[in-house]
Amino acid sequence: MESRDEIKVSLMTKRNQMKGKITRTTGFQDFKDRVFVLTRDKLSYYEGNLSKRGKLKGEILLASVKVAEKVDDGSLPKDNCFQVCYEDSLNLYIMANDAKEQEEWVSLMQEACKNNRGLLPMFHCGVWQGSRWSCCEQVDKNAPGCKQAFSQRSPTDMTNGKSTTNNGPPTPRNITKMPLPPPPVPAHAKRELPAPPPAKVVVAVYDYDPSQPGDLQLKKGEEYTITDDSRTHWWKALNREGTQGFIPSNYVQEKTEKGLIGEGWYCKDMSRQRAEALLKSEDKEGCFLVRDSTASPGTLTVSVLCKTPQTTVRHYHIKQNPRDSKYFLSEKYTFPTIPELIHYHQHNGGGLVTRLRSPPAALTGYAPVTLGFSQDKWEIQSTELTLMKPLGSGQFGVVRLGKLQGRTLVAVKTMREGSMCEDDFIQEAKTMTKLQHPNLVQLYGVSFKDRPIQIVTEYMCNGNLSSYLRSKGRELAEDRSPLVDMCHQVCCGMEYLERNKFIHRDLAARNCLVGEHNIVKVSDFGLARYVLDDEYTSSTGSKFPIKWASPEVLEFSRFSSKSDIWAFGILMWEVFTLGKTPYPNLNTTDVVRQVTHGKHLDRPQRCPHAVYRIMKQCWEKDPLRRPTFKELQVQIEDIQEKDYCE
Ligand code: ADP
């Protein structure tokens, strides 16, 4: 039975895919009949037949399709074959029952995938014969295709496998030979794709220079219409000139009725701690910003730095008069829009502790840096990398500063051979590139065609948090808010991992990195699983991070988000001791004894009681009694300046 969102259903023959394996035999030796089902976002195939569909055997996300074309090869046991290439070099060959069915499927697939990112310009219309392509005699399986793909052809060329030989522009001589448009698809097959959701308008919050063909340039403050937001991180957008392309979704914000996006002083997702830390680091009287209030969602807060009699940050809610909907900070001065209100207070104190002057220059540093590259791209070629100075070395090998594609600064971790379980990691890396959060070090991709493997991540100019605290700690500790802010940032990154059911397993200050303006990001998440060194993985090993391990990890190697919570408590302790090693005078046996007997680290000298209370919750012996990162996030947000003096 076809359901409403099924565009086409056919019983056809599929070749065994032998994913990733190169077969020595030639041709199509393994075929199965499957029920193929095309929906708006997937091509799925099932066991069974048209009247009784069996088990789901596989599915391909249409967004991952790179080629959908006919196959034209005399060596095939059946005619009417077409191919779907998807993800990274996976090929599905399907044999339709007749030419009409083949035509319909290719046409529908091309229509459904025509806006895909990563469509290949060329394809092979033959098959790989074990040592060469039957269509072009090339002997490299990965050799680029020899025929222009549908993405490059004009609509009138589309779907007609044979017509692709006629790629030149129409001239008087060949115009009569121009292929006819595809035959009309019968009504039952040509079910219209559901209409896309209504377009939304966004404003660019940061400039973006395209890094891949098909990307669209963003100019801060300009408006764009989103035409496809079905993927999380890359949206398709139209600019004012009508050019369409992909943009990173976290570089834009939806236009709000308040019309604040693009204002230099507005920062949507900023915690009070971050605002205080930023304003204090700028250290200028009247330095201010406007943010969404964490305490009362839906309202906005103006945070402003005042230096007399002593340096403090004051927070004012922007209120709205219920009678005329006008905005105000002080009831005497009301304004129809927030920009007008801010403009007024930039020129008059109007009851505030100080006149608003300018937003912190560092506000742009709050940008979520880059969001990586196209969602599909995670395999990086070593030729795309230029290696520069060493940044440090660790468990797996040396980390160097590098440039990707000659323009983006990155960190490149060259894995010492034998230090990690490479195949498993490569599989996992693809998933890890999709973990994206402003407080996680972005994994851009992995270069693994040549050995040694290289892991390419976002570059963080201030190195690891532990060393940073030791060198810059005194400066930071003059006021406690940067320290609370750092803990809050790590907590936000960890809350994202917790939400995505991803366990870090080695959270510690040494595995967090610091960027500009004290931005802290969690790094090396999940890597511990692929380490091959027993000294590191076994809880009795000399390199095992015992001082960050919870009792259930020490006793049963039971890792969970709750064991990450324990480690987070230790990390908070590291932050408030400005980078001291926990349990400074204890050897590992004593640490284990102390932890299993429920004795905790003492409160660091400069640690407010409110912060120490949070640490202690992380060190509950029973993992179930420990809070979640979500809960901790709220608690840290609740810490007020007055708590520092407790
Ligand atoms: P390993 O995981 O092999 O133990 P690390 O990831 O800890 O290695 O890296 C070693 C050191 O290299 C870090 O302590 C840090 O100083 C530096 N480093 C690592 N990654 C980056 C990065 N993305 N940006 C800047 N410095 C980095």
Side-chain angles (χ1 to χ4, degrees), residues 373-441:
F373 302 94
S374 100
Q375 180 148 272
D376 297 334
K377 187 173 158 65
W378 68 280
E379 182 190 337
I380 290 174
Q381 309 299 330
S382 51
T383 49
E384 290 178 279
L385 290 170
T386 319
L387 295 183
M388 293 141 79
K389 66 170 185 184
L391 296 171
S393 67
Q395 174 68 26
F396 295 109
V398 180
V399 183
R400 304 182 85 96
L401 180 65
K403 259 195 184 166
L404 182 58
Q405 296 165 349
R407 36 173 276 164
T408 312
L409 276 186
V410 290
V412 183
K413 197 184 277 194
T414 305
M415 308 307 279
R416 201 176 326 107
E417 284 189 62
S419 66
M420 81 166 349
C421 186
E422 295 179 348
D423 290 346
D424 291 352
F425 171 72
I426 291 166
Q427 282 303 315
E428 174 73 6
K430 194 172 175 181
T431 317
M432 283 160 65
T433 52
K434 291 184 181 150
L435 293 172
Q436 297 184 330
H437 185 275
N439 298 110
L440 289 188
V441 173

Side-chain angles (χ1 to χ4, degrees), residues 391-397 399 411 413 457-460 464 513 524:
L391 296 171
S393 67
Q395 174 68 26
F396 295 109
V399 183
K413 197 184 277 194
T457 63
E458 178 184 338
Y459 167 60
M460 301 288 288
N464 78 66
L513 295 167
D524 284 346

